[in-house]
Coordinates of all heavy atoms in Angstrom, one line a residue:
Chain B
D152 N 91.2 98.9 94.1 CA 90.1 98.6 93.2 C 88.9 99.4 93.6 O 88.4 99.1 94.7 CB 89.8 97.1 93.1 CG 90.2 96.5 91.8 OD1 90.6 97.3 90.9 OD2 90.1 95.3 91.6
G153 N 88.4 100.3 92.9 CA 87.2 101.0 93.2 C 87.3 102.1 94.2 O 86.3 102.8 94.5
A154 N 88.5 102.4 94.8 CA 88.6 103.5 95.7 C 89.9 104.2 95.7 O 90.9 103.6 95.2 CB 88.2 103.0 97.1
V155 N 90.0 105.4 96.2 CA 91.3 106.1 96.4 C 91.2 106.7 97.7 O 90.2 107.2 98.2 CB 91.5 107.1 95.2 CG1 90.4 108.2 95.2 CG2 92.9 107.7 95.3
S156 N 92.4 106.8 98.4 CA 92.4 107.4 99.7 C 93.8 108.1 99.9 O 94.7 107.9 99.1 CB 92.2 106.4 100.8 OG 93.2 105.4 100.8
G157 N 93.9 108.9 100.9 CA 95.1 109.6 101.1 C 95.1 110.6 102.3 O 94.0 110.8 102.9
S158 N 96.2 111.2 102.5 CA 96.3 112.3 103.6 C 96.2 113.6 102.9 O 96.7 113.9 101.9 CB 97.7 112.2 104.2 OG 97.9 111.0 104.9
R159 N 95.5 114.5 103.6 CA 95.2 115.8 103.0 C 95.5 116.9 104.1 O 94.7 117.2 105.0 CB 93.7 115.9 102.6 CG 93.2 117.2 102.0 CD 91.8 117.0 101.4 NE 91.4 118.1 100.7 CZ 90.7 119.2 101.2 NH1 90.4 119.2 102.5 NH2 90.4 120.2 100.4
P160 N 96.7 117.5 104.0 CA 97.0 118.5 105.0 C 96.2 119.8 104.8 O 96.2 120.3 103.6 CB 98.5 118.8 104.7 CG 99.0 117.7 103.8 CD 97.8 117.2 103.1
V161 N 95.5 120.2 105.8 CA 94.7 121.5 105.7 C 95.3 122.4 106.8 O 96.3 122.1 107.4 CB 93.2 121.3 105.9 CG1 92.6 120.5 104.7 CG2 92.9 120.5 107.2
E162 N 94.6 123.6 106.9 CA 95.2 124.7 107.7 C 95.6 124.2 109.2 O 96.7 124.5 109.7 CB 94.3 125.9 107.8 CG 94.9 127.1 108.4 CD 94.0 128.3 108.4 OE1 93.0 128.3 107.7 OE2 94.4 129.3 109.0
S163 N 94.7 123.5 109.8 CA 94.9 123.2 111.2 C 95.3 121.7 111.5 O 95.4 121.3 112.7 CB 93.7 123.6 112.0 OG 92.5 123.1 111.5
G164 N 95.5 120.9 110.5 CA 95.8 119.5 110.7 C 95.8 118.7 109.5 O 95.9 119.3 108.4
V165 N 95.7 117.4 109.6 CA 95.8 116.5 108.5 C 94.5 115.6 108.5 O 94.2 115.0 109.4 CB 97.0 115.6 108.5 CG1 97.0 114.7 107.3 CG2 98.3 116.5 108.5
Q166 N 93.8 115.7 107.3 CA 92.6 114.8 107.2 C 93.1 113.5 106.5 O 93.9 113.6 105.6 CB 91.6 115.5 106.3 CG 91.0 116.8 106.9 CD 90.2 117.5 105.8 OE1 90.3 117.3 104.6 NE2 89.3 118.4 106.3
K167 N 92.4 112.4 106.9 CA 92.5 111.2 106.0 C 91.2 111.1 105.3 O 90.1 111.2 105.9 CB 92.6 109.9 106.9 CG 93.9 109.9 107.7 CD 95.0 109.2 107.0 CE 96.3 109.1 107.8 NZ 97.5 109.0 107.0
V168 N 91.3 111.1 103.9 CA 90.1 111.1 103.1 C 90.1 109.9 102.2 O 91.1 109.3 101.9 CB 90.0 112.4 102.3 CG1 90.0 113.7 103.2 CG2 91.2 112.6 101.3
S169 N 88.9 109.6 101.7 CA 88.7 108.5 100.8 C 87.6 108.8 99.9 O 86.7 109.6 100.2 CB 88.6 107.2 101.5 OG 87.4 107.2 102.3
A170 N 87.6 108.2 98.7 CA 86.5 108.4 97.7 C 86.4 107.1 96.9 O 87.3 106.4 96.6 CB 86.8 109.6 96.8
N171 N 85.1 106.9 96.5 CA 84.8 105.8 95.5 C 85.2 106.3 94.1 O 85.1 107.5 93.8 CB 83.4 105.5 95.5 CG 82.9 104.9 96.8 OD1 83.7 104.2 97.5 ND2 81.7 105.1 97.2
L172 N 85.7 105.4 93.3 CA 86.0 105.7 91.9 C 84.7 105.6 91.1 O 83.8 104.8 91.4 CB 87.1 104.8 91.4 CG 88.4 104.8 92.1 CD1 89.4 103.8 91.5 CD2 89.0 106.2 92.3

Side-chain angles (χ1 to χ4, degrees):
Chain B
D152 249 356
V155 61
S156 61
S158 296
R159 183 172 185 266
V161 291
E162 192 175 349
S163 50
V165 180
Q166 298 170 340
K167 294 272 184 205
V168 299
S169 60
N171 294 330
L172 300 183

